[in-house]
Amino acid sequence: MIVETGHYALILALGIALVQSVLPLWGARTGDTRLMAVGISAALGTFLLIALAFGGLVAAYVTSDFSVLNVFENSHSQQPLIYKFTSAWGNHEGSMLLWVLILGLFGALVALLGHDLPPSLKATVLSVQAWVTVAFLLFILTTSNPFIRLMPPPIEGQDLNPILQDLGLAIHPPLLYLGYVGFSIAFSFAVAALIDGRVDAAWARWVRPWTLAAWVFLTLGIAMGSYWAYYELGWGGWWYWDPVENASFMPWLAGTALLHSALVMEKRAALKIWTILLAILTFSLSLMGTFLVRSGVLTSVHAFATDPTRGVFVLAILVVFIGGSLALFAARAGTLEAGGLFAPISREGALVFNNLFLTTATATVLVGTLYPLLLEVLNGAKISVGAPFFDLTFAPLMVPLLIAVPFGPLLAWKRGDLWAATQRLYVSAGVALAVIIVVLALEGGARVLSAFGFGLAAFLMLGSLTDLFFRAGLPRAGPSVAWLRFIGLPRSAFGTAIAHFGLGMTVLGIVAASAFQTELVTTVKPGDVLRSGGYEIRFEGMSKREGPNYSEEVAHFALSRGGVAAGTLEPTKRAYPARQMPTTESAIHTRLMSQLYLALGDSDSNGGAVVVRVWWKPLVTLIWLGAVVMGFGGMVSLADRRLRVGAPARRKAAKPARTEVGA
């Protein structure tokens, strides 16, 4: 019964979303406050009904109700409870329901927290958000219904894809969708502003917190997905330039540009047209990622569906929303004011420089991702665009951008002094140069690019703290005065510095892991000793274990360092009988920021020999820790009262007391 309730709730949500898509917009056009207020209750009602439907699907998974086709195809009664729960979105239908749940969540949050928004703008935003909700609810109900029953019900399920039976499934998709779908709010604000014909600094201030929140979630979601693939697939890499990985990376690049562009618009009322276009393009790239994953045009470990009819439906959604919003933009762009002027050397100029390189990098990744698909459609030729292309095109675009990052906060608005900013960065540049010289000396003059990468990372991390240093009045102010100034700085200043510092950490991890990792592929027998990263790795033999829904062969390795025991590693090869699918489970030993990584290959059960791949990856964890620090910086900025969603209005000034005549 709970499954039918969930299905019915989804249908009701579609009906209410249709009401929300029309009445508030009509009220905004006619000035009818009652119709505008419908958007608030409708957004809340839509979210609650979708949540009820999602809860029904989760309940079917937790209770192993195999009369539901979706549960039968993606679950098993012997799965651990955590995987029964996460199986609800470990498939196409369930993940789309999670997608639309988060879409409804953001609409409800705008309804609840948008107290400072003009009623007409808020109503229009909620209507535009409902358009997207209606489209995806129709997609679920017509092509991807997760509540289809099987009669008679099977006794046992087919199990979840073994690769997805991991804690990463509980973290990565929700975070990624919160980022993907969160940019829908920026899109709705942009379309609403175009409909109203009013784009100003206040608009930028309203949209920035939503954009920042989506950016934080997407940053953490991409980082979690990268680490999950790193340890789960046994390949030892952290980024493959897979088309679906690129599909999440492109909205991140565009969203980063949008954040900086909106800052210029808020502070200087400039870049209005460009900011609106970026808001449209960022969510458009999110929609394109949804199409790539669910259309069947890609064969990828990340792909959810291969049904072309679903792809046609999603393609229609893309055409309507991307084409419609761009057509509206083209019609309205001529009526928008260009905004304030500024000198090329200024903080605005630095942010424009940032936007130029970020959008060019986005276009580069877009071309590399779509070109093979377009070529196959045109002449049937199949080619692969992989890491060499992206390394040669994307990396050179990032270098000047990363060099410029510390300069931006040190430049004044409207007209800055580049020489003064350079002087303030002398210490950071000096340390970076010293790092380059030390690395070159240690490597005997080789690895010039790696040495430059280390220096760039040091310049980024130290340069990100320079703005806080000088804004606190150092070195001229005394310690007590400097401390008071420091703690009095706005949280957005701390957030910016933390995020830029995290970016430097990620760059440091990428350079170290790429340039100095070692790899060993060999066959070992019990008693053999391998050496990597200063460790002695002794193979002690194989054993077999039984899991709840799998069996596995376990290799036992004892670690020692300088003759002192340092732990054990147990990489495995698992077999899932329900799916008839094997997986490789790597084993990782972390020391400070570096990792020793082991993965098994084929084994000889008679002789006890096994093929093993051993990597030593120096500072590799900084890649993901840096992303976490970037996300934390975004959260600190979001805590700034000036960016806080739903910040209370300022109190009105008290009226002066009336003076009595003749007193």
Side-chain angles (χ1 to χ4, degrees):
M1 184 63 184
I2 191 170
V3 172
E4 283 70 28
T5 302
H7 190 190
Y8 185 59
L10 212 56
I11 297 172
L12 283 179
L14 174 61
I16 296 178
L18 283 168
V19 172
Q20 180 187 341
S21 67
V22 175
L23 292 186
L25 180 62
W26 183 262
R29 304 279 68 78
T30 60
D32 190 327
T33 56
R34 292 175 299 175
L35 289 180
M36 287 190 281
V38 169
I40 298 175
S41 54
L44 296 174
T46 300
F47 167 66
L48 291 175
L49 287 169
I50 297 173
L52 177 61
F54 186 77
L57 182 63
V58 171
Y61 269 96
V62 171
T63 58
S64 295
D65 184 355
F66 298 123
S67 69
V68 180
L69 175 62
N70 188 256
V71 178
F72 165 71
E73 292 179 339
N74 299 284
S75 188
H76 192 279
S77 61
Q78 299 303 311
Q79 280 180 194
L81 180 61
I82 179 63
Y83 299 151
K84 289 184 180 181
F85 184 81
T86 58
S87 293
W89 59 80
N91 58 86
H92 167 71
E93 293 82 2
S95 65
M96 279 309 307
L97 189 55
L98 176 63
W99 206 99
V100 80
L101 172 67
I102 294 173
L103 191 64
L105 171 64
F106 276 99
L109 289 175
V110 171
L112 289 173
L113 303 177
H115 306 301
D116 294 342
L117 297 174
S120 61
L121 176 63
K122 182 177 180 179
T124 308
V125 168
L126 290 176
S127 282
V128 175
Q129 189 75 2
W131 299 348
V132 184
T133 306
V134 166
F136 280 97
L137 284 173
L138 282 172
F139 174 66
I140 292 174
L141 289 169
T142 58
T143 72
S144 309
N145 187 354
F147 299 109
I148 296 175
R149 288 281 195 182
L150 282 175
M151 289 299 171
I155 297 176
E156 188 55 86
Q158 294 181 342
D159 208 357
L160 178 66
N161 185 332
I163 294 176
L164 301 180
Q165 295 189 36
D166 186 87
L167 185 61
L169 185 61
I171 304 172
H172 169 57
L175 284 176
L176 198 68
Y177 290 176
L178 283 166
Y180 261 158
V181 182
F183 285 125
S184 66
I185 296 297
F187 172 83
S188 297
F189 267 95
V191 173
L194 291 173
I195 292 173
D196 286 348
R198 178 189 171 189
V199 182
D200 52 19
W203 178 91
R205 182 172 181 179
W206 291 321
V207 81
R208 270 223 303 153
W210 300 102
T211 304
L212 183 56
W215 181 87
V216 168
F217 285 122
L218 189 56
T219 300
L220 298 177
I222 291 174
M224 180 62 216
S226 170
Y227 190 65
W228 183 15
Y230 166 77
Y231 71 75
E232 176 65 25
L233 299 181
W235 64 303
W238 57 273
W239 193 261
Y240 191 66
W241 291 108
D242 180 283
V244 183
E245 288 179 328
N246 296 346
S248 63
F249 190 43
M250 287 185 288
W252 185 87
L253 291 170
T256 305
L258 175 59
L259 272 179
H260 293 85
S261 178
L263 178 63
V264 176
M265 185 174 169
E266 178 188 349
K267 298 293 184 181
R268 300 294 305 157
L271 303 183
K272 294 179 181 179
I273 299 174
W274 174 242
T275 304
I276 291 289
L277 180 60
L278 267 181
I280 294 172
L281 292 179
T282 301
F283 184 59
S284 297
L285 290 169
S286 296
L287 291 178
M288 190 191 71
T290 303
F291 170 73
L292 289 175
V293 174
R294 302 171 193 281
S295 62
V297 300
L298 293 177
T299 301
S300 166
V301 69
H302 302 89
F304 272 116
T306 57
D307 184 355
T309 59
R310 293 169 174 170
V312 171
F313 200 116
V314 179
L315 184 61
I317 293 175
L318 259 69
V319 171
V320 170
F321 285 101
I322 298 177
S325 58
L326 291 178
L328 178 62
F329 174 80
R332 290 285 195 176
T335 64
L336 301 178
E337 296 180 1
L341 300 177
F342 51 86
I345 303 301
S346 61
R347 189 174 299 188
E348 298 96 323
L351 294 172
V352 170
F353 182 87
N354 160 289
N355 270 224
L356 174 65
F357 278 86
L358 283 173
T359 51
T360 305
T362 305
T364 300
V365 178
L366 180 65
V367 170
T369 303
L370 296 186
Y371 177 71
L373 304 177
L374 295 175
L375 190 64
E376 184 177 355
V377 170
L378 293 175
N379 59 18
K382 292 187 177 182
I383 66 169
S384 176
V385 175
F389 168 81
F390 293 105
D391 291 343
L392 290 173
T393 57
F394 182 81
L397 288 171
M398 288 294 100
V399 171
L401 175 61
L402 295 175
I403 292 174
V405 164
F407 285 89
L410 298 175
L411 294 172
W413 293 103
K414 196 172 182 179
R415 184 179 299 277
D417 187 338
L418 183 59
W419 177 244
T422 303
Q423 288 179 312
R424 291 184 170 188
L425 289 169
Y426 273 173
V427 173
S428 301
V431 172
L433 181 61
V435 168
I436 294 173
I437 294 172
V438 169
V439 173
L440 288 175
L442 292 175
E443 294 298 315
R447 300 184 185 272
V448 175
L449 291 179
S450 301
F452 176 77
F454 277 107
L456 178 58
F459 181 67
L460 261 174
M461 288 188 287
L462 290 177
S464 66
L465 304 177
T466 301
D467 181 52
L468 299 179
F469 181 84
F470 284 102
R471 290 181 69 171
L474 295 170
R476 297 180 179 177
S480 58
V481 174
W483 173 249
L484 291 175
R485 289 181 179 178
F486 181 78
I487 62 176
L489 291 176
R491 293 180 184 176
S492 59
F494 289 105
T496 299
I498 293 170
H500 289 172
F501 189 89
L503 179 61
M505 291 174 62
T506 295
V507 170
L508 179 58
I510 291 172
V511 173
S514 301
F516 295 101
Q517 75 172 11
T518 60
E519 180 180 1
L520 172 65
V521 182
T522 187
T523 301
V524 293
K525 294 182 178 180
D528 289 350
V529 177
L530 305 175
R531 289 175 176 80
S532 180
Y535 286 93
E536 295 80 38
I537 309 163
R538 179 184 175 85
F539 179 46
E540 297 184 333
M542 302 286 295
S543 65
K544 292 186 178 181
R545 287 196 303 227
E546 292 295 325
N549 60 331
Y550 61 84
S551 59
E552 63 180 352
E553 290 184 323
V554 186
H556 303 276
F557 292 88
L559 300 183
S560 60
R561 188 178 182 89
V564 179
T568 60
L569 286 177
E570 295 184 342
T572 69
K573 292 185 74 69
R574 290 180 179 175
Y576 290 79
R579 283 266 179 171
Q580 293 295 304
M581 183 175 174
T583 64
T584 298
E585 303 293 324
S586 59
I588 300 173
H589 176 76
T590 303
R591 181 173 183 265
L592 299 178
M593 301 298 172
S594 304
Q595 289 187 332
L596 183 68
Y597 184 115
L598 270 67
L600 294 183
D602 296 330
S603 61
D604 181 359
S605 57
N606 294 325
V610 63
V611 176
V612 63
R613 301 181 72 179
V614 182
W615 286 275
W616 171 249
K617 296 179 173 291
L619 303 182
V620 69
T621 59
L622 288 179
I623 296 173
W624 305 290
L625 288 175
V628 172
V629 171
M630 281 190 275
F632 178 69
M635 288 186 282
V636 172
S637 291
L638 197 59
D640 193 311
R641 188 193 177 282
R642 295 176 300 173
L643 292 179
R644 197 175 306 153
V645 179
R650 293 180 179 178
R651 294 181 181 179
K652 296 181 179 179
K655 295 182 180 179
R658 186 176 61 185
T659 303
E660 294 293 336
V661 177

